[in-house]
Amino acid sequence: MTTPTDPRRGFSRRSFLKGTAAASVAGAGLTATAPALAPPEPAKFGPGEHEITLAINGENRKVTVETRTTLLDALRDGLDLTGCKKICDRGACGGCTVLLDGEPVNGCLTLAMDGVGAEITTVESLTQGGEVHPLLESFAHCDAMQCGFCTPGMVMTSLACLNRRGKPTRAQMAHDLSGNICRCGTYGRIMDAIERTANGGGR
Ligand code: FES
Ligand code: FES
């Protein structure tokens, strides 16, 4: 049987209590001398409206938003960039796709505030300066739309796919487009348009 002072246990109850008391004294000393570290004040937003600046298609644009305003609403209602479509408004269709630092995001699931400091690209950028982007030309050439409602989101996701992969395979296209829904079922022709652009078509 072991006792509180049994050497096999390595310490006794008395030494443990002594150690605890010493640690408390040392801790109290630290508390007394260490300067108080106040956490930095976080930036406060809301309630109410705030003016923010978003870098969109290479231009700085000011827009007034609430903290809850989505990027989609800021673009459509605040800046009149209506290319991105508000269809499901819950991240299910991809019709609102824009690029945030080159990555496709659902504008309806992204807060406008989260776009501050990022490079935002919308479908309007593909006709800037009177030039039509080859991908848009390929969508028209391949007849890659019927009602056209999904098309702006499809174009932006296709653009990100091309930028990321260069010459994507059909499987890679299907993977990248999997968040975009086309109720008219034009997926095959959209892939034709991506393939044509990757092969230099539309230039
Ligand atoms: S409107 Fe954003 S995913 Fe449908
Ligand atoms: S072309 Fe009609 S939903 Fe895609």
Side-chain angles (χ1 to χ4, degrees), residues 87 144-151 154 181-187 190:
I87 307 175
M145 70 204 77
Q146 287 189 49
C147 77
F149 218 52
C150 72
T151 308
M154 284 290 186
I181 307 291
C182 175
R183 285 123 184 119
C184 303
T186 56
Y187 300 105
I190 290 169

Side-chain angles (χ1 to χ4, degrees), residues 68-113:
R68 66 189 174 126
T69 305
T70 63
L71 182 57
L72 177 62
D73 285 344
L75 291 171
R76 286 182 60 84
D77 302 337
L79 295 165
D80 209 21
L81 292 167
T82 54
C84 44
K85 297 291 176 254
K86 191 171 188 173
I87 307 175
C88 68
D89 204 19
R90 60 183 64 185
C93 72
C96 59
T97 303
V98 296
L99 307 189
L100 206 65
D101 287 333
E103 290 300 321
V105 297
N106 289 331
C108 69
L109 294 186
T110 306
L111 291 174
M113 290 276 189

